[in-house]
Amino acid sequence: LDYILIEASGMANPGPIASLFWLDDELESRLRLDGVVTIVDALNLENQLKQTEEAAQQIAYADRILLNKVDLVNHNTDSVLQHIRNIHPTAPVRKTTHSQVPDLEWILDANCFDVDRAKEVNLVLSRVAEPDHECNDVSCQTCAEFTVVPTHIIESSTGFDSSAATQVNANRHTHTSAVGTTALVLKGSVELARMNSWLASILWPNQDEKNSVLKARLEEEDTESAKGPHQLTTEMQIFRVKGILSIQHQNVETEDEEFVDESGVDVRRYIVQAVNDLWDIHPASEDLRWDRSTISDTIPPSERSCKVVVIGKNLNEDLLKDGFQSCLATA
């Protein structure tokens, strides 16, 4: 048995399904989550986004996107690509007819959750936050392959990299749904424990609520859902998180001297990923270390930056910015 392909129903939320198969290595499962592939109907996407929230969720959770039925729109996919980019700026996109994919390795054995793919993650995050070229053409093949036009990049005069936002003005857009993306760029290193705490607070926002309160809230949401798609709750929901971090440990004595200097700064790049309510922060492979990287030239601790992309519904940009900045390591 080489692969297990699970096809969700047309309007299913893939988040909970993905969470079931995304397991820690320590559990030694014979199964691993390879990736989430979403097929987008180029002819009907705009109407689907207006009619149902699940259409946007399926794009938000995707690791690979097949933009299908391009022949039915005469291969004029500019507006469709813009809708996809508004929701998910980092997922690679391939245009297809009849969902034909010449290179099946692009969707099979893609290892989208492998920490050794830090090079690819860094590439798409860099194009989101600090693109190599300024481009407003949604048909540009460089952009289309990685679909990385950002919806928002958070900046701050203290800590956040304001240079990352210089190219955003031309790409500001309105949303056809409440699902969107926020890119966070923070100069310096973050503390691992603080990062885990922040992720817990945004992925498990109700973890400290009493059962009676949660039950009442769920009943209220069920009532709102019955009223129609335009009257749903405005509470922030996180679907995906992807990022590359520079870590500074606070307790140097407990860390491996091979990777941590006397100030606690780790030489390894760390990959952060989250799906639905699960997340993982793990060091990337040896050849992707900050001090001998195949991604770029050696980067000293003073010049490192942490980049995180958050995809979700009703994203509170100020809350995300403040939370991420609170993870900044103190000397």
Side-chain angles (χ1 to χ4, degrees):
L1 184 64
D2 296 320
Y3 303 101
I4 298 176
L5 303 181
I6 299 177
E7 181 181 3
S9 62
M11 286 295 108
N13 177 358
I17 302 174
S19 298
L20 291 174
F21 294 96
W22 188 24
L23 304 174
D24 293 333
D25 293 337
E26 288 75 11
L27 295 179
E28 298 181 352
S29 172
R30 296 180 62 187
L31 300 177
R32 64 173 174 81
L33 180 61
D34 189 57
V36 178
V37 180
T38 296
I39 300 178
V40 173
D41 186 333
L43 181 63
N44 298 301
L45 176 63
E46 187 170 350
N47 288 332
Q48 291 171 341
L49 290 174
K50 293 177 180 178
Q51 295 171 0
T52 175
E53 181 180 314
E54 282 75 15
Q57 289 179 344
Q58 290 182 2
I59 294 174
Y61 279 111
D63 295 295
R64 298 282 189 270
I65 296 176
L66 298 179
L67 181 55
N68 196 38
K69 298 184 182 179
V70 296
D71 55 320
L72 299 183
V73 294
N74 296 320
H75 297 271
N76 184 11
T77 58
D78 290 0
S79 62
V80 179
L81 281 172
Q82 193 66 68
H83 284 304
I84 295 173
R85 290 172 177 179
N86 288 350
I87 297 170
H88 197 329
T90 65
V93 175
R94 293 259 177 114
K95 300 177 184 179
T96 64
T97 58
H98 304 289
S99 299
Q100 295 179 348
V101 183
D103 181 12
L104 285 180
E105 290 185 356
W106 195 73
I107 58 174
L108 296 179
D109 205 24
N111 294 317
C112 294
F113 289 82
D114 192 336
V115 295
D116 290 338
R117 296 183 68 87
K119 189 172 183 178
E120 178 180 309
V121 174
N122 185 75
L123 174 62
V124 296
L125 289 177
S126 295
R127 289 182 176 178
V128 169
E130 301 169 81
D132 295 328
H133 73 293
E134 295 186 6
C135 179
N136 300 319
D137 181 5
V138 292
S139 64
C140 171
Q141 288 304 306
T142 301
C143 292
E145 175 65 16
F146 286 92
T147 23
V148 291
V149 176
T151 58
H152 299 90
I153 294 180
I154 304 304
E155 58 175 315
S156 171
S157 59
T158 56
F160 279 83
D161 189 351
S162 58
S163 65
T166 57
Q167 55 81 47
V168 176
N169 293 334
N171 293 318
R172 292 263 184 209
H173 18 253
T174 57
H175 292 247
T176 56
S177 71
V179 178
T181 302
T182 293
L184 305 170
V185 182
L186 180 62
K187 289 183 177 179
S189 300
V190 296
E191 184 181 335
L192 190 57
R194 293 182 180 180
M195 192 71 191
N196 280 312
S197 178
W198 174 59
L199 289 171
S201 70
I202 61 175
L203 297 174
W204 303 339
N206 302 316
Q207 59 179 316
D208 296 324
E209 294 277 17
K210 294 182 178 179
N211 289 338
S212 58
V213 175
L214 292 177
K215 183 178 179 180
R217 184 172 298 173
L218 288 173
E219 291 175 349
E220 181 181 354
E221 290 182 0
D222 289 340
T223 302
E224 291 177 340
S225 298
K227 295 178 182 178
H230 300 295
Q231 300 184 39
L232 300 178
T233 176
T234 58
E235 182 178 354
M236 183 169 68
Q237 294 176 272
I238 307 298
F239 300 146
R240 294 293 300 263
V241 177
K242 289 185 178 182
I244 290 184
L245 307 174
S246 172
I247 297 294
Q248 182 173 349
H249 303 279
Q250 296 304 301
N251 192 351
V252 181
E253 290 77 13
T254 61
E255 302 299 330
D256 193 331
E257 294 182 357
E258 179 184 355
F259 304 115
V260 180
D261 64 19
E262 62 278 0
S263 64
V265 176
D266 203 308
V267 298
R268 297 168 293 183
R269 274 182 170 86
Y270 277 68
I271 304 299
V272 55
Q273 293 201 76
V275 177
N276 206 34
D277 59 352
L278 299 180
W279 78 90
D280 181 42
I281 303 176
H282 201 80
S285 57
E286 282 286 296
D287 61 336
L288 299 177
R289 289 169 47 155
W290 292 100
D291 59 348
R292 56 169 187 263
S293 175
T294 59
I295 293 179
S296 60
D297 296 332
T298 299
I299 302 176
S302 60
E303 298 179 13
R304 295 182 190 176
S305 62
C306 300
K307 303 173 184 177
V308 172
V309 172
V310 182
I311 304 172
K313 175 185 176 184
N314 302 319
L315 296 180
N316 186 324
E317 299 178 8
D318 291 334
L319 182 65
L320 292 172
K321 179 193 71 173
D322 293 342
F324 190 40
Q325 189 159 359
S326 71
C327 301
L328 192 64
T330 57

